[in-house]
mmCIF file of all heavy atoms in Angstrom:
data_model
loop_
_atom_site.group_PDB
_atom_site.id
_atom_site.type_symbol
_atom_site.label_atom_id
_atom_site.label_comp_id
_atom_site.label_asym_id
_atom_site.label_seq_id
_atom_site.Cartn_x
_atom_site.Cartn_y
_atom_site.Cartn_z
ATOM 1 N N SER A 74 -5.778 -25.239 135.115
ATOM 2 C CA SER A 74 -6.430 -26.020 134.039
ATOM 3 C C SER A 74 -7.579 -25.213 133.469
ATOM 4 O O SER A 74 -8.575 -25.000 134.216
ATOM 5 C CB SER A 74 -6.978 -27.408 134.587
ATOM 6 O OG SER A 74 -7.769 -28.029 133.613
ATOM 7 N N ASP A 75 -7.469 -24.785 132.227
ATOM 8 C CA ASP A 75 -8.480 -24.020 131.643
ATOM 9 C C ASP A 75 -9.653 -24.823 131.185
ATOM 10 O O ASP A 75 -10.770 -24.380 131.011
ATOM 11 C CB ASP A 75 -7.921 -23.215 130.419
ATOM 12 C CG ASP A 75 -6.942 -22.171 130.874
ATOM 13 O OD1 ASP A 75 -7.327 -21.301 131.609
ATOM 14 O OD2 ASP A 75 -5.753 -22.289 130.472
ATOM 15 N N GLU A 76 -9.420 -26.134 131.041
ATOM 16 C CA GLU A 76 -10.543 -27.060 130.667
ATOM 17 C C GLU A 76 -11.471 -27.200 131.800
ATOM 18 O O GLU A 76 -12.739 -27.226 131.628
ATOM 19 C CB GLU A 76 -9.955 -28.393 130.296
ATOM 20 C CG GLU A 76 -11.003 -29.420 129.861
ATOM 21 C CD GLU A 76 -11.708 -29.136 128.615
ATOM 22 O OE1 GLU A 76 -11.142 -28.390 127.736
ATOM 23 O OE2 GLU A 76 -12.864 -29.534 128.408
ATOM 24 N N GLN A 77 -11.010 -27.158 133.046
ATOM 25 C CA GLN A 77 -11.839 -27.444 134.212
ATOM 26 C C GLN A 77 -12.021 -26.160 135.079
ATOM 27 O O GLN A 77 -12.921 -26.179 135.976
ATOM 28 C CB GLN A 77 -11.315 -28.578 135.066
ATOM 29 C CG GLN A 77 -11.152 -29.900 134.263
ATOM 30 C CD GLN A 77 -10.573 -30.976 135.035
ATOM 31 O OE1 GLN A 77 -10.033 -30.706 136.177
ATOM 32 N NE2 GLN A 77 -10.594 -32.161 134.574
ATOM 33 N N ASP A 78 -11.150 -25.184 134.929
ATOM 34 C CA ASP A 78 -11.185 -24.019 135.780
ATOM 35 C C ASP A 78 -12.530 -23.305 135.758
ATOM 36 O O ASP A 78 -13.082 -22.992 134.636
ATOM 37 C CB ASP A 78 -10.109 -23.048 135.405
ATOM 38 C CG ASP A 78 -10.107 -21.805 136.178
ATOM 39 O OD1 ASP A 78 -10.499 -21.855 137.386
ATOM 40 O OD2 ASP A 78 -9.647 -20.763 135.719
ATOM 41 N N GLN A 79 -13.136 -23.018 136.859
ATOM 42 C CA GLN A 79 -14.374 -22.269 136.970
ATOM 43 C C GLN A 79 -14.130 -20.907 137.594
ATOM 44 O O GLN A 79 -15.106 -20.200 137.968
ATOM 45 C CB GLN A 79 -15.390 -23.046 137.751
ATOM 46 C CG GLN A 79 -15.808 -24.392 137.188
ATOM 47 C CD GLN A 79 -16.591 -24.177 135.869
ATOM 48 O OE1 GLN A 79 -17.304 -23.182 135.737
ATOM 49 N NE2 GLN A 79 -16.505 -25.105 134.968
ATOM 50 N N ALA A 80 -12.817 -20.543 137.815
ATOM 51 C CA ALA A 80 -12.522 -19.292 138.522
ATOM 52 C C ALA A 80 -13.161 -18.134 137.788
ATOM 53 O O ALA A 80 -13.117 -18.004 136.568
ATOM 54 C CB ALA A 80 -11.041 -19.136 138.663
ATOM 55 N N GLY A 81 -13.751 -17.212 138.583
ATOM 56 C CA GLY A 81 -14.306 -16.015 137.944
ATOM 57 C C GLY A 81 -15.805 -16.093 137.623
ATOM 58 O O GLY A 81 -16.422 -15.195 137.334
ATOM 59 N N ALA A 82 -16.283 -17.364 137.655
ATOM 60 C CA ALA A 82 -17.736 -17.590 137.371
ATOM 61 C C ALA A 82 -18.489 -17.456 138.691
ATOM 62 O O ALA A 82 -18.084 -18.036 139.730
ATOM 63 C CB ALA A 82 -17.946 -19.007 136.752
ATOM 64 N N ASP A 83 -19.520 -16.715 138.697
ATOM 65 C CA ASP A 83 -20.233 -16.445 139.900
ATOM 66 C C ASP A 83 -20.939 -17.773 140.337
ATOM 67 O O ASP A 83 -21.604 -18.428 139.523
ATOM 68 C CB ASP A 83 -21.360 -15.434 139.633
ATOM 69 C CG ASP A 83 -21.965 -14.869 140.897
ATOM 70 O OD1 ASP A 83 -22.175 -15.681 141.816
ATOM 71 O OD2 ASP A 83 -22.301 -13.662 140.871
ATOM 72 N N PRO A 84 -20.740 -18.203 141.636
ATOM 73 C CA PRO A 84 -21.429 -19.490 142.041
ATOM 74 C C PRO A 84 -22.917 -19.493 141.816
ATOM 75 O O PRO A 84 -23.519 -20.451 141.537
ATOM 76 C CB PRO A 84 -21.084 -19.523 143.555
ATOM 77 C CG PRO A 84 -19.831 -18.695 143.705
ATOM 78 C CD PRO A 84 -19.916 -17.597 142.673
ATOM 79 N N MET A 85 -23.530 -18.237 141.883
ATOM 80 C CA MET A 85 -24.960 -18.119 141.691
ATOM 81 C C MET A 85 -25.329 -18.546 140.253
ATOM 82 O O MET A 85 -26.314 -19.191 139.972
ATOM 83 C CB MET A 85 -25.362 -16.705 141.891
ATOM 84 C CG MET A 85 -26.854 -16.442 141.931
ATOM 85 S SD MET A 85 -27.512 -16.915 143.629
ATOM 86 C CE MET A 85 -29.231 -16.439 143.344
ATOM 87 N N ILE A 86 -24.414 -18.197 139.330
ATOM 88 C CA ILE A 86 -24.665 -18.519 137.927
ATOM 89 C C ILE A 86 -24.481 -20.066 137.651
ATOM 90 O O ILE A 86 -25.131 -20.544 136.717
ATOM 91 C CB ILE A 86 -23.692 -17.696 137.017
ATOM 92 C CG1 ILE A 86 -23.810 -16.222 137.314
ATOM 93 C CG2 ILE A 86 -23.922 -17.969 135.520
ATOM 94 C CD1 ILE A 86 -25.210 -15.690 137.150
ATOM 95 N N ARG A 87 -23.698 -20.699 138.494
ATOM 96 C CA ARG A 87 -23.465 -22.101 138.236
ATOM 97 C C ARG A 87 -24.500 -23.082 138.779
ATOM 98 O O ARG A 87 -24.500 -24.233 138.544
ATOM 99 C CB ARG A 87 -22.114 -22.467 138.824
ATOM 100 C CG ARG A 87 -20.897 -21.830 138.105
ATOM 101 C CD ARG A 87 -19.629 -22.573 138.387
ATOM 102 N NE ARG A 87 -19.293 -22.629 139.771
ATOM 103 C CZ ARG A 87 -18.522 -21.776 140.399
ATOM 104 N NH1 ARG A 87 -18.064 -20.717 139.727
ATOM 105 N NH2 ARG A 87 -18.270 -21.890 141.639
ATOM 106 N N ARG A 88 -25.489 -22.474 139.565
ATOM 107 C CA ARG A 88 -26.531 -23.281 140.056
ATOM 108 C C ARG A 88 -27.436 -23.768 138.950
ATOM 109 O O ARG A 88 -27.637 -23.151 137.934
ATOM 110 C CB ARG A 88 -27.415 -22.507 141.064
ATOM 111 C CG ARG A 88 -26.657 -22.124 142.361
ATOM 112 C CD ARG A 88 -27.585 -21.317 143.238
ATOM 113 N NE ARG A 88 -26.845 -20.801 144.355
ATOM 114 C CZ ARG A 88 -27.413 -19.885 145.195
ATOM 115 N NH1 ARG A 88 -28.643 -19.475 145.022
ATOM 116 N NH2 ARG A 88 -26.684 -19.479 146.267
ATOM 117 N N THR A 89 -28.022 -24.945 139.148
ATOM 118 C CA THR A 89 -29.016 -25.425 138.216
ATOM 119 C C THR A 89 -30.296 -24.547 138.365
ATOM 120 O O THR A 89 -30.732 -24.374 139.420
ATOM 121 C CB THR A 89 -29.381 -26.885 138.452
ATOM 122 O OG1 THR A 89 -28.245 -27.635 138.294
ATOM 123 C CG2 THR A 89 -30.454 -27.405 137.537
ATOM 124 N N PHE A 90 -30.804 -24.098 137.181
ATOM 125 C CA PHE A 90 -31.918 -23.232 137.222
ATOM 126 C C PHE A 90 -32.850 -23.561 136.077
ATOM 127 O O PHE A 90 -32.401 -23.675 134.945
ATOM 128 C CB PHE A 90 -31.446 -21.749 137.156
ATOM 129 C CG PHE A 90 -32.590 -20.748 137.342
ATOM 130 C CD1 PHE A 90 -32.942 -20.382 138.625
ATOM 131 C CD2 PHE A 90 -33.251 -20.193 136.270
ATOM 132 C CE1 PHE A 90 -33.985 -19.482 138.825
ATOM 133 C CE2 PHE A 90 -34.220 -19.272 136.471
ATOM 134 C CZ PHE A 90 -34.601 -18.941 137.673
#
Side-chain angles (χ1 to χ4, degrees):
S74 170
D75 293 299
E76 179 68 25
Q77 299 177 353
D78 177 30
Q79 297 292 329
D83 194 323
M85 192 79 178
I86 303 304
R87 293 200 299 269
R88 294 178 186 171
T89 300
F90 188 83

